[in-house]
Structure formats: C-alpha cells, structure tokens
Amino acid sequence: MSFDESFSEADPAVAEAVAAERDRQESTLMMIASENHAPPAVLAAQGTALTNKYAEGYPGERYYAGCQHVDEIEQLAIDRAKELFGADHANVQPHSGTQANMGVYFAVLEPGDRILSLSLSHGGHLSHGHSANFSGNLYDVEQYEVEADTGYIDYDSLAAHAREFDPDMIVSGSSAYPREFEFDRVGAVADEVGAYHLADIAHITGLVATGLHANPVEHADFVTGSTHKTVRSGRGGLILCDEAYTDDVDAAVFPGSQGGPLLHNVAGKAVGFKKALEPEFEEYTRRIVDGATALAETLSGHGVAPVSGGTDKHFVLVDLRESHPDLTGAEAEDALEEAGIVVNKNTVPGETRSPFVTSGIRIGTPALATRGMDTEELETVGELIVRVLDAPDDERTVESVRGAVRDLCEEYPVYDS
Ligand code: DSN
C-alpha cells in the first residue's frame, strides 16, 4: 500500500463527490448557523493515521498498548479546552454535542428523573428532552418557552416553573434562541430548587471563548458544546465540569455511552483550540456578532422581522409570518439555495406549521466571517436575501442574486488555494 495512493484513483466516485462538495461550499454562502469552514490545519489533523488507533480510556489509563502519541494529543486538547473556557476538567471525547449531553445525563441522572429545558420550537435542541430523542424517552421532561410578545426568555416564569416541577436538572442553552442566555440566573434557580445545571453552549463555544457571550462555567455544574461550530475546531463534542464530577463524567462517556475515541477528531479539536487561543480569533468572533447584528438591522429595515427584534449572537431567526405570510420557511430555504444562499428553515415561537414546513428561517454568520466578511458585506447579503424573499418564484431575480453571490464568493474565498 503506497502512502501516496491517490484518493481520486482509488475511488473516483467518492473523490468527485467530495470535490463537488468543496466547490459547493466555495461558491455559495454557508449561512446555516451551526456550520463553519474549518481551518486547513484542522482538516489536515482530521485526515491522519490517528483514525487507525484504538485508545479506550483516557491519557495515561488506556486499555490498549501503543497510546503514547495519542495520549499526548488528547492531553493537549484537554489542557487547551480548560484554558479556553476556564474549566477545572474537560472531556474531549464525545463524538457530538448530543453525545456530550448524553454523557452528562448518564453521569448524574437516573431514568425517570426530571429535566426542565427550553422547548425545541422556542430555540432548544432535540437532546434537551424532545420526545423523538433518547432524552425525551428516558427522562420526565417539562419545557420552558420564550415570551410570545418579546421572543425573550422570562427568567421569573422559568423560576416559578422550576419551583413547581422540582427538576433534577435544568438545561440552559439553545440552538435557535438569538439572545444572550443569562446563565447566572438559571444557575441561581438551579441552586434554589436543588437541581443540577447543564449549560449547552454548542452554538456559542467560539463566542464564549472570547468573552462575546457570558461564560457559564462558574454558573453551571456542567457545560457541553460542539467543537466544529463557532469555535471552528475538529468535529465533535466537549464536556466541561467541576473537578468533583470528573470521574462520573469520564465514566459516563467511556465506557458508559461510547467506545473508542475518534482520535483524528480529537487532534482536530486540539489544533482548533490552539488557534482559538490566538489573538486573531477574537477579531474573528467580533465579526461574527457584528455581522449578525448588521444582517438583523438590514432585514428589519425591510420589514422582515427578526424574532426578539434582533440578535446578540451569530445568527438571525426570521419570522416570515408578517412580512411574507404566504411564504413558508421551506419555500424560502429552497429559493435562497437556488440563489446560492444556504440557510435552514426553522420553527419560530408560536409556530403553527410542521417542522418540515415552518414559518421561519435561521441565518448564521460564522462561515461568512471565516471568509473575511464584516458588517458591510452582511448588509449586502441582507439586501440579497430580501430580494429573494420578495420574489422567490421570479427566475430573473433569483439568477441575478446568484450572480451577486458568486462575485462575493470570489472576492472572499474560503481557502486561497
Ligand atoms: N444541527 C445543529 C443545528 O443546526 O443547530 C444542532 O445539532
């Protein structure tokens, strides 16, 4: 087996599909809020011989031989995660954000225990207790919602709900809540009712790392995240916790819910965390948030309503019901994709349509900021989005926006070569 075996010769079908996907990413605007373009060094780390190695256990305590190099890599990922988020302990093995949440639940909850979390249609996540997910099947879940008129979480009503429900765990954090999460207030409620507090920062890891969003580490027993979104490291998940929970969390991840770690991804996490600790990363995250604010203002200026009136984060959640009552989220997603702007349909608070149809779209800025874009470009993108929403079936409009998107993509390439 030659190490230089060419991918395209070995498997032209897969190689061509991968090349086509790279072209798609290069020539369209990736605005799904959970997606990003990984730095080349992260991609390189993930495509290495580490994929060949089994290493059940943790650095220095493995079940298999030959772990000296992967021990070093995993320890670097752990140390950098602790430094990045100011945590006592980090477990970098979860294969995804959902696996990270599973690790925390398994560490301290029993089946049937009570969880209080944000509803999926109000911005929560499947793994926070949705009935279609293991979390909704194993645990007794009640959910809080955002206020219908403001789109904000009402923490007083969350506290009243917690006093009544007496949960074993309160989950804060979200996938589609555009406002800053007040982790300190949720932490105080959890303390009052004697519940664990899990803060899920999957979407905002990068913003927390640079202080652009409040850090929950001191207000939560457990913090979980995914590592490939705003923090732009290797694909997967992460758990941070107090020293006291180290053994329970580690045992819940392995052997509790996973087998061997994906060490190539752990290496990608280590590399990405190193880059996130560098000063340039702060400027990058500033452009994510400023870009999202500029986008919200542009859309709003055209009467396209951002839920809650704007954003504090990396995305805008648009409610189409007032500005475009006949356009569903699914139709908007399709028309925008035709124009080269890739977003996702999203339920909105008070949703009346199914999750496959929806009345909203979620529009994220992390990947555009990675391309180097800033507020001015996001204003332009906002104008392009409005043109498509106003005439989703007009081929000339969609084609003209597609041309403008192509020009922007060429001006701001993802990878220079
Ligand atoms: N799929 C991710 C998102 O888009 O929010 C979360 O898992």
Side-chain angles (χ1 to χ4, degrees):
M1 187 158 75
S2 158
F3 194 77
D4 295 325
E5 180 183 40
S6 141
F7 180 18
S8 54
E9 277 173 26
D11 191 336
V14 173
E16 278 166 28
V18 170
E21 170 59 13
R22 187 172 158 191
D23 278 353
R24 186 193 69 82
Q25 292 184 15
E26 198 58 68
S27 63
T28 58
L29 297 176
M30 179 192 273
M31 300 194 80
I32 291 176
S34 48
E35 294 182 349
N36 207 338
H37 303 285
V42 169
L43 296 182
Q46 292 187 150
T48 59
L50 296 178
T51 196
N52 303 334
K53 186 75 193 98
Y54 262 117
E56 282 92 335
Y58 292 98
E61 296 172 289
R62 305 286 190 183
Y63 284 85
Y64 292 166
C67 289
Q68 56 273 43
H69 304 300
V70 296
D71 273 6
E72 187 185 341
I73 291 163
E74 184 168 342
Q75 194 58 52
L76 281 167
I78 291 169
D79 292 344
R80 289 170 184 170
K82 286 162 63 175
E83 185 180 349
L84 204 49
F85 301 104
D88 285 351
H89 177 64
N91 185 311
V92 296
Q93 292 192 6
H95 301 334
S96 69
T98 292
Q99 292 292 126
N101 288 338
M102 179 184 267
V104 170
Y105 300 149
F106 283 11
V108 291
L109 298 182
E110 296 296 330
D113 278 356
R114 289 185 294 275
I115 294 178
L116 180 62
S117 59
L118 181 63
S119 141
L120 181 67
S121 63
H122 287 243
H125 188 257
L126 277 173
S127 63
H128 294 178
H130 192 275
S131 57
N133 184 261
F134 80 93
S135 54
N137 287 311
L138 277 187
Y139 305 107
D140 176 7
V141 181
E142 289 198 6
Q143 301 207 293
Y144 52 96
E145 300 187 336
V146 301
E147 289 183 307
D149 52 339
T150 65
Y152 278 75
I153 290 167
D154 174 351
Y155 292 90
D156 292 329
S157 117
L158 188 162
H161 193 161
R163 285 180 204 116
E164 195 185 316
F165 182 48
D166 191 21
D168 299 288
M169 178 176 283
I170 302 180
V171 180
S172 60
S174 64
S175 283
Y177 177 61
R179 292 303 183 177
E180 177 136 359
F181 229 100
E182 297 184 33
F183 294 122
D184 53 343
R185 294 188 70 182
V186 181
V189 175
D191 283 347
E192 183 195 325
V193 301
Y196 294 110
H197 177 200
L198 161 59
D200 182 342
I201 59 166
H203 269 252
I204 54 169
T205 39
L207 311 186
V208 169
T210 57
L212 287 179
H213 190 291
N215 186 337
V217 161
E218 65 176 287
H219 306 295
D221 301 289
F222 309 97
V223 176
T224 54
S226 40
T227 48
H228 48 275
K229 294 181 176 131
T230 46
V231 81
R232 236 172 28 178
S233 79
R235 191 163 191 106
L238 164 81
I239 302 174
L240 307 167
C241 64
D242 293 343
E243 198 68 54
Y245 298 119
T246 298
D247 291 346
D248 288 337
V249 161
D250 286 355
V253 174
F254 172 82
S257 56
Q258 292 189 172
L262 307 178
L263 294 158
H264 53 305
N265 285 6
V266 169
K269 292 173 191 180
V271 173
F273 294 159
K274 177 173 185 293
K275 293 183 83 66
L277 284 161
E278 290 166 2
E280 302 78 48
F281 191 74
E282 191 172 341
E283 193 269 333
Y284 161 64
T285 55
R286 182 200 58 72
R287 278 186 292 104
I288 294 179
V289 176
D290 288 354
T293 304
L295 177 64
E297 283 167 5
T298 305
L299 295 172
S300 202
H302 288 277
V304 178
V307 170
S308 80
T311 182
D312 299 325
K313 294 184 179 158
H314 57 296
F315 69 90
V316 182
L317 179 62
V318 165
D319 186 340
L320 294 163
R321 287 176 297 190
E322 275 206 11
S323 59
H324 299 82
D326 299 327
L327 186 65
T328 67
E331 289 163 344
E333 177 188 286
D334 285 347
L336 286 165
E337 185 175 9
E338 278 289 306
I341 301 173
V342 185
V343 304
N344 66 279
K345 59 183 170 294
N346 215 97
T347 50
V348 291
E351 183 61 78
T352 49
R353 294 181 170 121
S354 101
F356 297 104
V357 180
T358 83
S359 304
I361 48 175
R362 190 184 61 166
I363 318 173
T365 56
L368 270 53
T370 292
R371 299 182 88 125
M373 296 188 198
D374 207 330
T375 51
E376 200 181 314
E377 292 74 23
L378 265 300
E379 283 164 13
T380 304
V381 171
E383 300 286 345
L384 296 175
I385 289 172
V386 171
R387 281 177 60 195
V388 175
L389 296 180
D390 285 348
D393 300 320
D394 185 76
E395 278 178 28
R396 284 177 57 184
T397 301
V398 171
E399 197 38 53
S400 132
V401 171
R402 183 73 187 99
V405 165
R406 266 195 210 98
D407 292 345
L408 261 179
C409 291
E410 274 167 28
E411 194 180 343
Y412 295 93
V414 180
Y415 302 114
D416 291 334
S417 55

